[in-house]
Amino acid sequence: MALATALRRLSDARLRRLCGRTAAGLTAGARLPAQRSFTAGTHALRSDDKVTVHFVNRDGDKITVKGSPGDSLLDVVINEDLDFDGYGACEGTLACSTCHLIFDEDTYKKLGAVTDEELDMLDLAYGLTDTSRLGCQICLSKSLDGIMARIPESVADIRQSTDGSV
Ligand code: FES
């Protein structure tokens, strides 16, 4: 229980630093799964304020969705209920590397700086490339409109012990 609380605090601190908000301040539906709720917002973003994201899943299928500026790519996957097996297992607390995504080089250059914590976790990701990032650490902005993110063939959840427990 203490570990879960510590991870949530870490997640909040990282979100605040990366996207300028906390889990409590996320838009409805963008909250962590255990905290999801429905609200009737009166200030919904216009559709032209949204950011288009293309994902290529493990079967090679292209899935196009929209997210809001400030959302992480993990938020987009959760909000759009995308079925990427095992994706985002630690809910953005930088503890699993299952949110590993691969980008083309031009997109990669637009994603912003990589923190040491993300690099440490990326080192443990399955199928690491020179243009790999963690989806929970990438915040959408209009400049990223139309980006393409490829889901690797497999995931490595470093929290898994050899007996399969988390
Ligand atoms: S969701 Fe676990 S590191 Fe990103």
Side-chain angles (χ1 to χ4, degrees), residues 98-109:
T98 62
C99 62
H100 175 204
L101 295 171
I102 299 170
F103 299 89
D104 65 65
E105 207 161 314
D106 287 340
T107 301
Y108 180 81
K109 290 175 184 169

Side-chain angles (χ1 to χ4, degrees), residues 139-153:
C139 297
L140 289 181
S141 65
K142 282 303 282 180
S143 67
L144 296 180
D145 193 40
I147 62 169
M148 176 97 64
R150 186 165 58 82
I151 306 289
E153 290 173 19

Side-chain angles (χ1 to χ4, degrees), residues 27-105:
T27 56
R31 294 181 181 166
L32 301 175
Q35 299 171 324
R36 284 188 180 183
S37 65
F38 296 97
T39 60
T42 56
H43 49 80
L45 289 171
R46 296 188 322 250
S47 63
D48 60 347
D49 291 331
K50 296 279 190 168
V51 179
T52 299
V53 179
H54 308 284
F55 288 99
V56 177
N57 70 13
R58 294 185 181 110
D59 295 329
D61 299 326
K62 184 174 165 184
I63 300 157
T64 299
V65 293
K66 289 185 180 285
S68 299
D71 283 352
S72 72
L73 288 177
L74 174 61
D75 292 333
V76 175
V77 169
I78 292 169
N79 292 343
E80 296 296 323
D81 203 20
L82 301 180
D83 186 18
F84 301 147
D85 190 35
Y87 192 89
C90 78
E91 301 177 342
T93 58
L94 262 182
C96 72
S97 82
T98 62
C99 62
H100 175 204
L101 295 171
I102 299 170
F103 299 89
D104 65 65
E105 207 161 314

